[in-house]
Amino acid sequence: MSDNTQMYDVVVIGGGAAGLSGALALGRARRSVLVIDSGSPRNAPASHVHNYLGREGTPPAELLAIGREEVAGYGVEVVTGEVTVAERLPEDAGFRIVRADGTAVTARRLLVTTGLTDELPAIPGLAERWGHEVLHCPYCHGWEVRDEAIGVIAVSPMAVHQALLWRQWSKDVTLFLHQGPEPSDEEYEQLAARGVAVVDGEVAGVEVSGGRLTGVRLAGGRVVERAAVVVQPRFTARSGVLESLGLRPVPLEMGGHTIGSYIEADPAGATAAAGVWVAGNVTGLMDQVIGAAAAGLKAGAAINGDLVTEDAKRAVEAREAPSDAEMWDDRYRESDRIWSGKPNAVLVREAEDLAPGRALDLGCGEGADAVWLAGRGWHVTGTDISRVALARAAEHAAEAGVADRVDWQFHDLGATFPEGAYDLVSAHFLHSKGDLPRARILHRAARAVAPGGVLLIVGHAGFPAWDDHHADMELPTPDEVLAQLELPEGEWEVLLSEEHERVMNDPDGNPTTRTDNALKVRRR
């Protein structure tokens, strides 16, 4: 699995007209955007797109190819794949999106444009000619079958309206009552006045000859010659990804009959799930291609506006508050050495038998753990929020003769994270009185572990009575840390989960004990 990637501003799930249009707006707004497309557009059976000003008559595949080329010009990435998981990250850190091949990315916002599925009545032959001579939308296909013999198969109370609508394109329209309701006297009068024939009896199938539909076959065996057949499918939103985020489709009724399901959203596409927008047929069942594209544009602009607001809020907070980096720099300047200079005992115990590879030390401080690992043959990336600590760590590595095996990097782990995959990721006592999103950082740490690699997390389980400076700090148990990691089931094994005591001296030099905990997991 490869999930150690950058966080995109927006991931668009669905690469049709709505998704590409939203991506275009966001790309032009200088956002980082990834489009994930399953490659199964709803209009694939259709030969051409209609009512799209400037693109009238364009084949659907050609329109999508043009769209992909246009968004790529603004830095938007497009990949083919099926999204299997979309989940919200802890502490409002955005979303994690996983494809069927295991590839995962993260995003601050989601735009879902997965469209809908046309569920046809169980009449033999309809599915095979769907999008060719079996149609549903006169605005999409009416011109192409003008003046032809058209049959409308009734499956809902909307059938009379359909027949009268298609009568605009042809004088030869027949309504097959099939399993639909009996028209009212008023409706019969309207049909007669417009010259629409009505045929009783259930439809058993359609006739096809020479690769084209030629007629409608009734249950009694009679065949009525027709060149095209109109049927109303059930429009079902492709909502699987959205349901995993707590959004359920709702039924759409017309004339007292449910014609489909859709995801509710406001006019700009914002859903009830914070950070999630929708556009196109997944929310607008009746949208044609140009309408879906317009909805995607509107959603893309709304998402950018939402991100602008968040960016401004973050900038103000960063400007008004002293940074955690400044706080920790001041802490390290208090003395020439803050820590003992010895590696953490749990690291030594749990890593001494591991084969050296690539290691990541999160919150490395003055570098004792990273230097110890480098001395045992590991290539180590050591990160800390304090540049004072990193400078000292570099000096210690040089003194130990391992400077060439340690890469010291400054990171405020709540905002940036080292790239790459590692055989060992270690986080010892990653606590802070500042605004430290510890759960989010550890969640990211797990994604940085290579297959077969180990994640080791050691933390405090409590503070001694004499230490009242950290009373409000959250100290999760190993089980709570494991739950926060949200590790995919079956992909990890727990090697160690324990609390343990260690001896330390109080400020007066008297020996005392404190309780810590450790969690060690391996990616399979």
Side-chain angles (χ1 to χ4, degrees):
M1 177 181 291
S2 173
D3 5 355
N4 190 38
T5 61
Q6 72 177 89
M7 173 176 279
Y8 291 89
D9 286 325
V10 185
V11 165
V12 181
I13 304 175
L20 290 176
S21 182
L24 183 62
L26 289 160
R28 284 178 53 82
R30 308 186 74 176
R31 295 293 179 186
S32 58
V33 183
L34 174 68
V35 178
I36 304 174
D37 182 41
S38 67
S40 55
R42 177 195 177 201
N43 63 356
S47 58
H48 299 88
V49 170
H50 298 292
N51 300 308
Y52 199 132
L53 189 62
R55 295 292 182 186
E56 171 61 28
T58 304
E62 181 180 330
L63 183 66
L64 295 183
I66 293 170
R68 287 188 174 201
E69 183 177 354
E70 288 177 349
V71 301
Y74 295 100
V76 173
E77 299 175 47
V78 182
V79 297
T80 300
E82 189 76 34
V83 174
T84 56
V85 176
E87 57 188 358
R88 192 178 298 277
L89 295 174
E91 302 179 21
D92 296 325
F95 304 89
R96 179 174 180 261
I97 303 95
V98 184
R99 306 208 302 269
D101 64 359
T103 304
V105 296
T106 53
R108 296 170 65 188
R109 300 292 186 272
L110 290 182
L111 173 56
V112 180
T113 61
T114 45
L116 60 82
T117 299
D118 296 299
E119 297 180 359
L120 296 172
I123 297 175
L126 288 186
E128 290 78 5
R129 303 310 302 163
W130 178 243
H132 301 287
E133 301 91 32
V134 177
L135 316 167
H136 80 93
C137 172
Y139 301 103
C140 301
H141 305 287
W143 178 264
E144 282 64 44
V145 295
R146 65 192 184 282
D147 299 325
E148 298 280 1
I150 299 171
V152 178
I153 300 176
V155 294
S156 79
M158 298 300 298
V160 171
H161 172 71
Q162 282 181 292
L164 294 172
L165 189 61
W166 280 87
R167 174 62 180 79
Q168 175 62 27
W169 280 265
S170 175
K171 294 180 180 180
D172 188 358
V173 176
T174 296
L175 174 61
F176 296 88
L177 292 184
H178 186 49
Q179 297 175 351
E182 183 78 15
S184 66
D185 291 343
E186 181 182 1
E187 289 174 328
Y188 268 124
E189 185 175 355
Q190 292 172 342
L191 293 167
R194 289 292 282 157
V196 176
V198 179
V199 175
D200 289 322
E202 193 164 322
V203 173
V206 295
E207 295 287 308
V208 177
S209 178
R212 290 190 60 85
L213 185 144
T214 58
V216 174
R217 185 177 69 258
L218 299 174
R222 178 189 170 195
V223 175
V224 180
E225 292 185 2
R226 296 287 92 183
V229 167
V230 174
V231 66
Q232 180 180 309
R234 182 183 178 92
F235 307 121
T236 301
R238 293 175 178 171
S239 57
V241 169
L242 293 161
E243 290 185 48
S244 70
L245 295 166
L247 295 169
R248 300 288 184 268
V250 297
L252 177 65
E253 292 189 355
M254 188 173 292
H257 176 76
T258 299
I259 66 169
S261 62
Y262 70 102
I263 297 295
E264 291 183 301
D266 73 8
T271 70
V276 181
W277 273 255
V278 290
N281 290 140
V282 73
T283 183
L285 300 187
M286 301 304 172
D287 283 353
Q288 295 185 47
V289 177
I290 193 169
L297 168 62
K298 188 180 294 186
I303 293 171
N304 182 61
D306 190 53
L307 289 170
V308 165
T309 299
E310 182 178 278
D311 291 341
K313 179 183 177 183
R314 289 180 177 180
V316 169
E317 291 173 349
R319 184 177 184 182
E320 291 179 347
S323 69
D324 288 345
E326 293 171 333
M327 179 188 72
W328 279 103
D329 280 345
D330 290 342
R331 172 79 173 91
Y332 279 102
R333 290 189 184 105
E334 290 176 0
S335 64
D336 293 336
R337 170 170 282 181
I338 296 295
W339 311 117
S340 67
K342 300 178 181 179
N344 282 290
V346 175
L347 175 70
V348 172
R349 185 188 73 196
E350 298 298 328
E352 61 182 350
D353 293 331
L354 297 178
R358 295 190 68 206
L360 174 61
D361 183 10
L362 300 173
C364 65
E366 293 162 319
D369 286 357
V371 169
W372 180 81
L373 286 167
R376 298 183 65 82
W378 291 81
H379 291 273
V380 187
T381 297
T383 76
D384 205 273
I385 196 171
S386 169
R387 289 185 169 85
V388 174
L390 288 170
R392 291 180 185 175
E395 291 177 1
H396 297 158
E399 293 169 359
V402 295
D404 60 333
R405 290 202 291 273
V406 187
D407 177 19
W408 306 105
Q409 296 184 12
F410 170 84
H411 285 281
D412 178 350
L413 293 172
T416 63
F417 200 90
E419 295 183 355
Y422 300 86
D423 304 296
L424 170 65
V425 177
S426 171
H428 279 71
F429 308 113
L430 198 64
H431 306 292
S432 176
K433 291 186 291 185
D435 184 19
L436 181 75
R438 186 173 187 267
R440 187 170 77 205
I441 294 168
L442 296 180
H443 195 275
R444 187 72 183 271
R447 302 202 308 275
V449 178
V454 168
L455 172 63
L456 177 63
I457 302 170
V458 179
H460 295 308
F463 293 101
W466 49 264
D467 186 350
D468 59 359
H469 298 292
H470 304 85
D472 297 330
M473 189 176 293
E474 180 184 0
L475 300 174
T477 66
D479 287 344
E480 289 171 337
V481 172
L482 182 62
Q484 290 172 347
L485 293 176
E486 297 182 328
L487 302 176
E489 186 175 353
E491 294 183 15
W492 293 78
E493 59 178 326
V494 178
L495 304 179
L496 174 71
S497 179
E498 68 170 18
E499 288 193 352
H500 56 274
E501 289 187 345
R502 62 186 174 95
V503 178
M504 63 180 300
N505 292 333
D506 66 16
D508 297 324
N510 302 312
T512 185
T513 61
R514 73 175 308 155
T515 304
D516 293 331
N517 56 46
L519 176 68
K520 181 182 180 183
V521 293
R522 173 183 286 124
R523 171 169 270 169
R524 297 184 188 276

